[in-house]
Amino acid sequence: MQRMNYQIIVAAGSGSRYGGNMPKQFCDLNGRPLLMTTIERLHKCDSESEIIVVLSLDMTDEWRQMSDEYSFAIKHTIVVGGATRAASVKNAIDHIERSTCGTPGWISIHDAARPVITPKLFKAIVDGLDGYDGALPACKLSDSIRRIETTGSVAVDRSLYRSVQTPQIFHADILIDAYRQPLRPEFTDDASVMEAAGYTNLCLVDGDPHNIKVTNPGDMAVAELYLSLL
Ligand code: C5P
């Protein structure tokens, strides 16, 4: 049977840190909603895989209208999200399990709010899958780090830590199994879901400092700058 790979883009968050009356993934980036750039760039990374975009129920009609307005033509499937990021991913995985038309190969999960994803980083992550349960991009820290304690805070050795980005890519059968466990609030990414299910053989690939997650006001201008440098 033919092998099918999937790219899940999670875009069902409310983006409360960004402010404004619209979640950040729909705010203007280079003259159109940010999410369009993210989908387009992931399609450039791998044009063969099925793209699944997870949206909150109240944004699905609006997104369809935006797609018409901007004549956005990249084929994608819309799945309705859940209350947390992990619940949104789970809904997309349920869709894959229901609709697979070939043996699932790998599943990539990417935050909608990271539009500066490059084919070079994507390929490094796919290559990193070989011999591992999954692969994810991670960056060394440049700031000093302190751990907050009840009595104050304490300096920690930053060389022991990495900040983790997306896309995170996993063998489909393993990821599907990991998402069968009850979801917990501390699952902020998919590697943490995998690890809790016992799939700890994860390959850390060098992340890209330009692969930022648009989170705070001002990040959009930075993302535009980084895109202009590609
Ligand atoms: O909140 P945070 O920035 O960590 O969210 C990461 C990604 O997960 C965002 O792209 C956001 O839209 C998505 N998300 C989601 N469903 C939720 C919460 C977040 O798809 N319920």
Side-chain angles (χ1 to χ4, degrees):
M1 221 206 278
Q2 194 199 342
R3 253 180 144 46
M4 188 70 197
N5 300 320
Y6 295 86
Q7 297 199 52
I8 299 171
I9 304 174
V10 278
S14 59
S16 50
R17 282 170 290 182
Y18 190 74
N21 53 7
M22 184 83 94
K24 61 198 175 184
Q25 56 273 30
F26 305 103
C27 291
D28 184 279
L29 175 92
N30 285 333
R32 60 182 189 167
L34 180 157
L35 178 57
M36 293 184 183
T37 298
T38 306
I39 297 174
E40 218 165 70
R41 293 207 57 79
L42 284 172
H43 182 70
K44 203 177 159 75
C45 292
D46 185 88
S47 58
E48 302 288 307
S49 46
E50 179 180 333
I51 295 180
I52 299 167
V53 177
V54 188
L55 297 173
S56 63
L57 185 58
D58 54 344
M59 283 306 296
T60 52
D61 285 345
E62 204 149 347
W63 171 249
R64 287 197 178 97
Q65 279 167 22
M66 288 176 187
S67 298
D68 286 347
E69 193 184 329
Y70 290 88
S71 305
F72 186 71
I74 294 182
K75 191 168 168 257
H76 59 279
T77 304
I78 294 172
V79 166
V80 173
T84 61
R85 184 190 188 281
S88 291
V89 174
K90 170 75 176 146
N91 289 358
I93 287 176
D94 288 347
H95 164 83
I96 292 171
E97 279 199 284
R98 277 194 308 270
S99 70
T100 183
C101 50
T103 314
W106 49 251
I107 299 176
S108 159
I109 304 118
H110 188 58
D111 294 330
R114 291 185 193 269
V116 198
I117 173 67
T118 62
K120 184 175 172 219
L121 179 61
F122 196 91
K123 182 177 182 310
I125 303 164
V126 172
D127 289 348
L129 260 183
D130 195 20
Y132 288 89
D133 295 333
L136 50 138
C139 295
K140 289 184 177 166
L141 303 174
S142 48
D143 290 331
S144 295
I145 303 294
R146 298 187 73 80
R147 189 178 59 238
I148 304 301
E149 305 203 327
T150 42
T151 50
S153 65
V154 57
V156 297
D157 179 356
R158 73 177 169 200
S159 70
L160 297 176
Y161 293 86
R162 295 289 181 273
S163 78
V164 169
Q165 304 179 330
T166 68
Q168 300 185 359
I169 307 183
F170 307 94
H171 299 289
D173 52 346
I174 302 176
L175 185 73
I176 289 168
D177 185 55
Y179 266 91
R180 289 198 181 106
Q181 71 186 300
L183 300 178
R184 304 205 298 254
E186 61 268 29
F187 293 155
T188 54
D189 71 349
D190 306 288
S192 55
V193 178
M194 289 280 286
E195 199 168 79
Y199 298 114
T200 54
N201 187 23
L202 302 173
C203 173
L204 293 191
V205 169
D206 279 342
D208 176 357
H210 286 196
N211 180 29
I212 59 166
K213 179 161 70 171
V214 172
T215 304
N216 298 304
D219 290 348
M220 202 68 92
V222 176
E224 285 183 354
L225 173 68
Y226 288 160
L227 285 166
S228 76
L229 299 174
L230 292 176

PDB file of all heavy atoms in Angstrom, residues 43-62:
ATOM      1  N   HIS A  43       4.108  23.735   2.437  1.00  0.00           N
ATOM      2  CA  HIS A  43       3.878  23.075   1.140  1.00  0.00           C
ATOM      3  C   HIS A  43       5.188  23.061   0.339  1.00  0.00           C
ATOM      4  O   HIS A  43       5.497  22.080  -0.344  1.00  0.00           O
ATOM      5  CB  HIS A  43       2.776  23.821   0.395  1.00  0.00           C
ATOM      6  CG  HIS A  43       2.427  23.214  -0.927  1.00  0.00           C
ATOM      7  ND1 HIS A  43       1.768  22.009  -1.043  1.00  0.00           N
ATOM      8  CD2 HIS A  43       2.663  23.626  -2.195  1.00  0.00           C
ATOM      9  CE1 HIS A  43       1.606  21.724  -2.319  1.00  0.00           C
ATOM     10  NE2 HIS A  43       2.146  22.682  -3.043  1.00  0.00           N
ATOM     11  N   LYS A  44       5.946  24.152   0.453  1.00  0.00           N
ATOM     12  CA  LYS A  44       7.253  24.235  -0.211  1.00  0.00           C
ATOM     13  C   LYS A  44       8.231  23.199   0.385  1.00  0.00           C
ATOM     14  O   LYS A  44       9.071  22.644  -0.305  1.00  0.00           O
ATOM     15  CB  LYS A  44       7.806  25.639   0.020  1.00  0.00           C
ATOM     16  CG  LYS A  44       8.835  26.130  -0.969  1.00  0.00           C
ATOM     17  CD  LYS A  44       9.175  27.579  -0.577  1.00  0.00           C
ATOM     18  CE  LYS A  44      10.510  28.020  -1.120  1.00  0.00           C
ATOM     19  NZ  LYS A  44      10.529  28.303  -2.535  1.00  0.00           N
ATOM     20  N   CYS A  45       8.091  22.948   1.700  1.00  0.00           N
ATOM     21  CA  CYS A  45       8.968  21.972   2.373  1.00  0.00           C
ATOM     22  C   CYS A  45       8.671  20.556   1.905  1.00  0.00           C
ATOM     23  O   CYS A  45       9.570  19.727   1.778  1.00  0.00           O
ATOM     24  CB  CYS A  45       8.772  22.028   3.891  1.00  0.00           C
ATOM     25  SG  CYS A  45       9.345  23.554   4.643  1.00  0.00           S
ATOM     26  N   ASP A  46       7.392  20.229   1.695  1.00  0.00           N
ATOM     27  CA  ASP A  46       6.994  18.892   1.259  1.00  0.00           C
ATOM     28  C   ASP A  46       5.631  18.984   0.579  1.00  0.00           C
ATOM     29  O   ASP A  46       4.611  19.123   1.262  1.00  0.00           O
ATOM     30  CB  ASP A  46       6.921  17.929   2.459  1.00  0.00           C
ATOM     31  CG  ASP A  46       6.625  16.524   1.974  1.00  0.00           C
ATOM     32  OD1 ASP A  46       7.572  15.797   1.665  1.00  0.00           O
ATOM     33  OD2 ASP A  46       5.429  16.170   1.867  1.00  0.00           O
ATOM     34  N   SER A  47       5.631  18.938  -0.740  1.00  0.00           N
ATOM     35  CA  SER A  47       4.380  19.164  -1.484  1.00  0.00           C
ATOM     36  C   SER A  47       3.561  17.883  -1.651  1.00  0.00           C
ATOM     37  O   SER A  47       2.439  17.916  -2.147  1.00  0.00           O
ATOM     38  CB  SER A  47       4.686  19.778  -2.847  1.00  0.00           C
ATOM     39  OG  SER A  47       5.539  18.903  -3.548  1.00  0.00           O
ATOM     40  N   GLU A  48       4.111  16.739  -1.216  1.00  0.00           N
ATOM     41  CA  GLU A  48       3.421  15.460  -1.406  1.00  0.00           C
ATOM     42  C   GLU A  48       2.454  15.135  -0.263  1.00  0.00           C
ATOM     43  O   GLU A  48       1.491  14.415  -0.436  1.00  0.00           O
ATOM     44  CB  GLU A  48       4.443  14.314  -1.464  1.00  0.00           C
ATOM     45  CG  GLU A  48       5.488  14.444  -2.564  1.00  0.00           C
ATOM     46  CD  GLU A  48       4.883  14.203  -3.927  1.00  0.00           C
ATOM     47  OE1 GLU A  48       4.248  13.155  -4.092  1.00  0.00           O
ATOM     48  OE2 GLU A  48       5.016  15.069  -4.804  1.00  0.00           O
ATOM     49  N   SER A  49       2.758  15.645   0.936  1.00  0.00           N
ATOM     50  CA  SER A  49       1.976  15.241   2.109  1.00  0.00           C
ATOM     51  C   SER A  49       0.624  15.950   2.160  1.00  0.00           C
ATOM     52  O   SER A  49       0.445  17.023   1.568  1.00  0.00           O
ATOM     53  CB  SER A  49       2.771  15.543   3.386  1.00  0.00           C
ATOM     54  OG  SER A  49       3.310  16.832   3.329  1.00  0.00           O
ATOM     55  N   GLU A  50      -0.325  15.336   2.890  1.00  0.00           N
ATOM     56  CA  GLU A  50      -1.632  15.978   3.082  1.00  0.00           C
ATOM     57  C   GLU A  50      -1.502  17.009   4.208  1.00  0.00           C
ATOM     58  O   GLU A  50      -0.967  16.706   5.279  1.00  0.00           O
ATOM     59  CB  GLU A  50      -2.700  14.941   3.460  1.00  0.00           C
ATOM     60  CG  GLU A  50      -4.060  15.609   3.676  1.00  0.00           C
ATOM     61  CD  GLU A  50      -5.172  14.639   4.064  1.00  0.00           C
ATOM     62  OE1 GLU A  50      -5.096  13.451   3.702  1.00  0.00           O
ATOM     63  OE2 GLU A  50      -6.117  15.099   4.733  1.00  0.00           O
ATOM     64  N   ILE A  51      -1.982  18.222   3.952  1.00  0.00           N
ATOM     65  CA  ILE A  51      -1.906  19.289   4.963  1.00  0.00           C
ATOM     66  C   ILE A  51      -3.253  19.375   5.684  1.00  0.00           C
ATOM     67  O   ILE A  51      -4.312  19.494   5.052  1.00  0.00           O
ATOM     68  CB  ILE A  51      -1.548  20.639   4.316  1.00  0.00           C
ATOM     69  CG1 ILE A  51      -0.133  20.561   3.721  1.00  0.00           C
ATOM     70  CG2 ILE A  51      -1.645  21.779   5.332  1.00  0.00           C
ATOM     71  CD1 ILE A  51       0.351  21.836   3.044  1.00  0.00           C
ATOM     72  N   ILE A  52      -3.193  19.292   7.005  1.00  0.00           N
ATOM     73  CA  ILE A  52      -4.404  19.388   7.844  1.00  0.00           C
ATOM     74  C   ILE A  52      -4.264  20.635   8.709  1.00  0.00           C
ATOM     75  O   ILE A  52      -3.287  20.772   9.452  1.00  0.00           O
ATOM     76  CB  ILE A  52      -4.536  18.142   8.741  1.00  0.00           C
ATOM     77  CG1 ILE A  52      -4.670  16.887   7.872  1.00  0.00           C
ATOM     78  CG2 ILE A  52      -5.726  18.275   9.692  1.00  0.00           C
ATOM     79  CD1 ILE A  52      -4.485  15.592   8.640  1.00  0.00           C
ATOM     80  N   VAL A  53      -5.209  21.544   8.595  1.00  0.00           N
ATOM     81  CA  VAL A  53      -5.162  22.773   9.387  1.00  0.00           C
ATOM     82  C   VAL A  53      -6.236  22.689  10.468  1.00  0.00           C
ATOM     83  O   VAL A  53      -7.411  22.459  10.166  1.00  0.00           O
ATOM     84  CB  VAL A  53      -5.393  24.009   8.491  1.00  0.00           C
ATOM     85  CG1 VAL A  53      -5.404  25.288   9.333  1.00  0.00           C
ATOM     86  CG2 VAL A  53      -4.309  24.106   7.416  1.00  0.00           C
ATOM     87  N   VAL A  54      -5.810  22.831  11.733  1.00  0.00           N
ATOM     88  CA  VAL A  54      -6.750  22.732  12.851  1.00  0.00           C
ATOM     89  C   VAL A  54      -7.176  24.143  13.260  1.00  0.00           C
ATOM     90  O   VAL A  54      -6.336  24.981  13.604  1.00  0.00           O
ATOM     91  CB  VAL A  54      -6.110  21.999  14.053  1.00  0.00           C
ATOM     92  CG1 VAL A  54      -7.166  21.749  15.122  1.00  0.00           C
ATOM     93  CG2 VAL A  54      -5.475  20.685  13.620  1.00  0.00           C
ATOM     94  N   LEU A  55      -8.489  24.388  13.190  1.00  0.00           N
ATOM     95  CA  LEU A  55      -9.033  25.719  13.482  1.00  0.00           C
ATOM     96  C   LEU A  55     -10.074  25.620  14.585  1.00  0.00           C
ATOM     97  O   LEU A  55     -10.729  24.586  14.734  1.00  0.00           O
ATOM     98  CB  LEU A  55      -9.728  26.279  12.235  1.00  0.00           C
ATOM     99  CG  LEU A  55      -8.856  26.532  10.996  1.00  0.00           C
ATOM    100  CD1 LEU A  55      -9.761  26.912   9.822  1.00  0.00           C
ATOM    101  CD2 LEU A  55      -7.841  27.636  11.258  1.00  0.00           C
ATOM    102  N   SER A  56     -10.261  26.718  15.324  1.00  0.00           N
ATOM    103  CA  SER A  56     -11.362  26.727  16.284  1.00  0.00           C
ATOM    104  C   SER A  56     -12.675  26.822  15.495  1.00  0.00           C
ATOM    105  O   SER A  56     -12.703  27.381  14.384  1.00  0.00           O
ATOM    106  CB  SER A  56     -11.228  27.900  17.259  1.00  0.00           C
ATOM    107  OG  SER A  56     -11.321  29.100  16.546  1.00  0.00           O
ATOM    108  N   LEU A  57     -13.735  26.282  16.076  1.00  0.00           N
ATOM    109  CA  LEU A  57     -15.023  26.220  15.371  1.00  0.00           C
ATOM    110  C   LEU A  57     -15.451  27.608  14.881  1.00  0.00           C
ATOM    111  O   LEU A  57     -15.905  27.769  13.750  1.00  0.00           O
ATOM    112  CB  LEU A  57     -16.079  25.622  16.310  1.00  0.00           C
ATOM    113  CG  LEU A  57     -17.452  25.372  15.699  1.00  0.00           C
ATOM    114  CD1 LEU A  57     -17.355  24.435  14.497  1.00  0.00           C
ATOM    115  CD2 LEU A  57     -18.398  24.789  16.749  1.00  0.00           C
ATOM    116  N   ASP A  58     -15.236  28.627  15.749  1.00  0.00           N
ATOM    117  CA  ASP A  58     -15.727  29.962  15.377  1.00  0.00           C
ATOM    118  C   ASP A  58     -14.864  30.658  14.323  1.00  0.00           C
ATOM    119  O   ASP A  58     -15.210  31.744  13.870  1.00  0.00           O
ATOM    120  CB  ASP A  58     -15.914  30.855  16.613  1.00  0.00           C
ATOM    121  CG  ASP A  58     -14.668  30.940  17.446  1.00  0.00           C
ATOM    122  OD1 ASP A  58     -13.782  30.102  17.248  1.00  0.00           O
ATOM    123  OD2 ASP A  58     -14.574  31.847  18.294  1.00  0.00           O
ATOM    124  N   MET A  59     -13.736  30.047  13.910  1.00  0.00           N
ATOM    125  CA  MET A  59     -12.922  30.680  12.856  1.00  0.00           C
ATOM    126  C   MET A  59     -13.022  29.964  11.509  1.00  0.00           C
ATOM    127  O   MET A  59     -12.463  30.443  10.521  1.00  0.00           O
ATOM    128  CB  MET A  59     -11.446  30.727  13.285  1.00  0.00           C
ATOM    129  CG  MET A  59     -11.086  31.804  14.286  1.00  0.00           C
ATOM    130  SD  MET A  59     -11.551  33.502  13.828  1.00  0.00           S
ATOM    131  CE  MET A  59     -10.547  33.785  12.369  1.00  0.00           C
ATOM    132  N   THR A  60     -13.731  28.830  11.476  1.00  0.00           N
ATOM    133  CA  THR A  60     -13.694  28.048  10.224  1.00  0.00           C
ATOM    134  C   THR A  60     -14.375  28.790   9.061  1.00  0.00           C
ATOM    135  O   THR A  60     -13.816  28.862   7.967  1.00  0.00           O
ATOM    136  CB  THR A  60     -14.325  26.646  10.396  1.00  0.00           C
ATOM    137  OG1 THR A  60     -15.604  26.815  10.964  1.00  0.00           O
ATOM    138  CG2 THR A  60     -13.505  25.751  11.279  1.00  0.00           C
ATOM    139  N   ASP A  61     -15.552  29.377   9.319  1.00  0.00           N
ATOM    140  CA  ASP A  61     -16.227  30.111   8.232  1.00  0.00           C
ATOM    141  C   ASP A  61     -15.397  31.311   7.812  1.00  0.00           C
ATOM    142  O   ASP A  61     -15.234  31.597   6.617  1.00  0.00           O
ATOM    143  CB  ASP A  61     -17.622  30.573   8.669  1.00  0.00           C
ATOM    144  CG  ASP A  61     -18.594  29.399   8.694  1.00  0.00           C
ATOM    145  OD1 ASP A  61     -18.250  28.346   8.111  1.00  0.00           O
ATOM    146  OD2 ASP A  61     -19.675  29.540   9.307  1.00  0.00           O
ATOM    147  N   GLU A  62     -14.874  32.014   8.821  1.00  0.00           N
ATOM    148  CA  GLU A  62     -14.072  33.202   8.535  1.00  0.00           C
ATOM    149  C   GLU A  62     -12.839  32.838   7.699  1.00  0.00           C
ATOM    150  O   GLU A  62     -12.465  33.548   6.776  1.00  0.00           O
ATOM    151  CB  GLU A  62     -13.645  33.850   9.857  1.00  0.00           C
ATOM    152  CG  GLU A  62     -13.335  35.299   9.694  1.00  0.00           C
ATOM    153  CD  GLU A  62     -13.645  36.095  10.952  1.00  0.00           C
ATOM    154  OE1 GLU A  62     -14.324  35.575  11.872  1.00  0.00           O
ATOM    155  OE2 GLU A  62     -13.202  37.229  11.006  1.00  0.00           O
TER     156      GLU A  62
END
